[in-house]
Amino acid sequence: MSDNQASLTADGKSIEMPVRSGTIGPDVIDIRKLYGQTGLFTYDPGFTSTASCDSAITYIDGEEGVLLHRGYPIGQLAEHSTFMEVSYLLLNGELPSPAQLDTFSHTITRHTMVHEQLSSFFSGFRRDAHPMAIMCGVVGALSAFYHDSTDVADPEHRKISSHRLIAKIPTIAAMAYKYSVGQPFVYPRNDLSYTGNFLRMTFGVPAEEYEVVPAVERAMDRIFILHADHEQNASTSTVRLAGSSGANPFACIAAGIACLWGPAHGGANEAALNMLKEIGTPDKIPEYIARAKDKNDPFRLMGFGHRVYKNYDPRATVMQKTVREVFDALKVSDPLFETALRLEEIALNDPYFVEKKLFPNVDFYSGIILSAIGFPTTMFTVLFALARTVGWVAQWNEMISDPGQKIGRPRQLYTGPAARDYTPLDQR
Ligand code: SDX
């Protein structure tokens, strides 16, 4: 990494700050001494120009639409890898050998069961509770079951907690779905793949054998790969900030799930399909395009735009291709796919979207696939959380293992009243 200097002059004060370079991507100005030497803060709500950490896990080039996991392009991983292998890669930094992958898969598989008492948490929710509300509650409650592994300073505790979270999140996600439809929970099976196990726990019933459809298993596994990690997005930053206080990993992941739920973030996949259903047929598209462009209308095209991608989200490319594969495998079609393709075509030729560099993101097509597989829209963000758990866990481990790590504590620009004396009630 090459280092040089940046200088800042403000309020008659001048300061030299080191500029650091990463492997690839923008250099950073190290401002850690700024306040101490000038009494000034930087100001960056939404962190549009702020690097919050060093990280070696995921790299995004928003201008070029590039996404790398430990250097490997997302398109190659989606084409050739599996979610278990990508999980190993994110956690350990290198692709596993066959023996390493077998051991990792075996370990994860044997942590997929949850404590039997965890099942009783579900009955406290209304049957129509949003599954993301259940995920927030139940995942946070895991910390009540694993007092043996919440010492974040202990690498062995971090390892077993990481494996437990990656292994149990599909089981809990499937239980959230089963609870919402009033069907019995289905226990995991050790002879199935990670994704096959999840599909059977979700759609299997005790009354008959569940056959995993290989093409659906492959598509679901690829969707998990596409959602596994994405640099310092809002929910990952939430996990890092929660973890920086020393909170246990189960609580940190529950915080990440809560943040992901928002429609501007992981909730966009549910919102995007609901939007397509509201639009209905292609002839209604112009009306919604106009609304999306109207400053006085809060409506936005869900599944479009991104804080970092100012080009096509490479995950959306893979997602669109996967729609056709799932339709062929299940011999189904969905008119909303045609509406989505037409909406994309119109938007990408509209000056408003072109000038603001608004392209489809990972959430634009995912709902169509998930709906075809049989998931209700309320489960879409749960599936995003399921896949992103490995990314959150990898980023949490990276932060906790950093010897320079300290609690995150941003400052502010104070705009409230200056100091003033209390006025007694009888004088107000
Ligand atoms: C995810 O960060 C990540 O990596 C997230 C994620 C991940 O993997 O973790 O990639 C997953 O969250 C994908 C994004 C899902 N969200 C949506 O699809 C919701 C719709 N998109 C937007 O709300 C918006 O694009 C954001 C929130 C995604 C990004 O917003 P920014 O970067 O804060 O940009 P902005 O809101 O300031 O928008 C810039 C301009 C604005 O217009 P002006 O005020 O400049 O005139 O573009 C407009 C916005 O009004 N705009 C849109 C739009 N998105 C932005 N206009 C219409 N439709 C949209 N979708």
Side-chain angles (χ1 to χ4, degrees):
M1 296 181 188
S2 67
D3 285 349
N4 48 49
Q5 299 287 314
S7 57
L8 172 79
T9 302
D11 283 354
K13 302 182 187 75
S14 200
I15 175 177
E16 293 292 310
M17 292 169 287
V19 173
R20 295 178 56 215
S21 302
T23 315
I24 40 178
D27 289 351
V28 298
I29 300 172
D30 184 339
I31 60 167
R32 282 176 288 185
K33 292 191 167 40
L34 178 68
Y35 178 62
Q37 293 184 9
T38 68
L40 295 169
F41 295 146
T42 59
Y43 182 74
D44 187 15
F47 311 118
T48 51
S49 302
T50 294
S52 61
C53 62
D54 293 41
S55 181
I57 299 173
T58 291
Y59 173 73
I60 303 172
D61 180 333
E63 297 306 322
E64 298 302 318
V66 169
L67 170 57
L68 307 178
H69 288 319
R70 301 287 191 178
Y72 295 99
I74 190 65
Q76 293 183 27
L77 294 173
E79 183 72 29
H80 304 298
S81 190
T82 63
F83 183 66
M84 272 295 95
E85 185 175 76
V86 170
S87 297
Y88 183 97
L89 173 67
L90 291 171
L91 289 170
N92 299 289
E94 297 294 338
L95 289 169
S97 67
Q100 287 169 328
L101 182 57
D102 282 349
T103 304
F104 180 72
S105 299
H106 183 274
T107 302
I108 296 299
T109 300
R110 275 148 188 82
H111 281 289
T112 47
M113 281 182 71
V114 294
H115 192 293
E116 195 62 15
Q117 277 185 250
L118 200 76
S119 312
S120 57
F121 279 81
F122 290 80
S123 55
F125 292 98
R126 286 173 33 162
R127 287 283 179 181
D128 61 352
H130 195 292
M132 281 298 278
I134 296 176
M135 293 294 286
C136 291
V138 175
V139 172
L142 284 175
S143 40
F145 288 81
Y146 297 112
H147 300 292
D148 66 335
S149 60
T150 51
D151 175 4
V152 297
D154 182 337
E156 282 312 304
H157 282 208
R158 294 202 298 270
K159 188 173 179 183
I160 180 68
S161 299
S162 302
H163 290 161
R164 279 170 170 156
L165 278 159
I166 294 164
K168 298 180 195 301
I169 200 81
T171 308
I172 294 168
M175 292 169 81
Y177 170 70
K178 282 308 199 191
Y179 186 74
S180 73
V181 295
Q183 290 182 355
F185 300 142
V186 175
Y187 287 105
R189 279 246 308 261
N190 292 347
D191 61 333
L192 296 174
S193 72
Y194 183 89
T195 302
N197 215 355
F198 169 67
L199 288 169
R200 181 178 168 277
M201 289 190 284
T202 304
F203 296 120
V205 290
E208 61 185 24
E209 273 310 302
Y210 175 82
E211 287 301 315
V212 177
V213 176
V216 173
E217 181 182 17
R218 177 80 197 114
M220 195 76 242
D221 197 76
R222 188 183 305 150
I223 289 171
F224 287 162
I225 291 172
L226 296 176
H227 288 83
D229 191 55
H230 212 239
E231 198 208 73
Q232 305 311 318
N233 58 84
S235 53
T236 297
S237 300
T238 301
V239 170
R240 279 181 172 259
L241 197 56
S244 72
S245 75
N248 74 72
F250 305 102
C252 295
I253 299 306
I257 292 172
C259 176
L260 187 75
W261 194 0
H265 190 14
N269 53 16
E270 177 179 355
L273 192 72
N274 289 338
M275 174 191 73
L276 289 170
K277 287 177 180 172
E278 187 183 332
I279 294 173
T281 50
D283 60 302
K284 295 280 184 54
I285 290 173
E287 171 196 336
Y288 284 85
I289 292 277
R291 285 189 56 195
K293 292 156 62 173
D294 179 357
K295 279 279 155 258
N296 300 317
D297 189 330
F299 173 79
R300 287 191 165 186
L301 284 189
M302 301 316 280
F304 259 77
H306 199 275
R307 169 62 55 79
V308 177
Y309 289 122
K310 302 309 171 190
N311 201 321
Y312 212 99
D313 183 336
R315 302 168 296 175
T317 307
V318 180
M319 207 63 91
Q320 190 193 97
K321 190 161 73 76
T322 305
V323 172
R324 300 182 197 284
E325 286 178 23
V326 169
F327 281 4
D328 292 348
L330 295 176
K331 296 182 179 38
V332 299
S333 65
D334 183 344
L336 291 181
F337 183 44
E338 296 315 314
T339 303
L341 290 170
R342 185 81 184 106
L343 174 58
E344 174 188 333
E345 183 189 352
I346 294 172
L348 295 190
N349 288 288
D350 182 300
Y352 174 92
F353 295 90
V354 173
E355 282 152 26
K356 295 180 186 297
K357 299 185 177 179
L358 302 173
F359 291 85
N361 58 51
V362 68
D363 295 308
F364 188 58
Y365 289 105
S366 57
I368 293 172
I369 304 173
L370 298 174
S371 189
I373 293 174
F375 293 102
T377 49
T378 49
M379 278 293 290
F380 292 178
T381 310
V382 172
L383 298 171
F384 195 148
L386 188 167
R388 186 53 59 88
T389 292
V390 68
W392 289 332
V393 164
Q395 299 268 355
W396 173 77
N397 274 293
E398 183 178 64
M399 177 205 63
I400 291 284
S401 317
D402 175 356
Q405 183 265 329
K406 53 174 58 178
I407 189 167
R409 207 280 187 212
R411 301 303 303 273
Q412 63 180 12
L413 175 67
Y414 178 67
T415 57
R420 53 184 172 168
D421 294 329
Y422 179 80
T423 309
L425 187 57
D426 59 10
Q427 293 176 32
R428 276 179 256 157

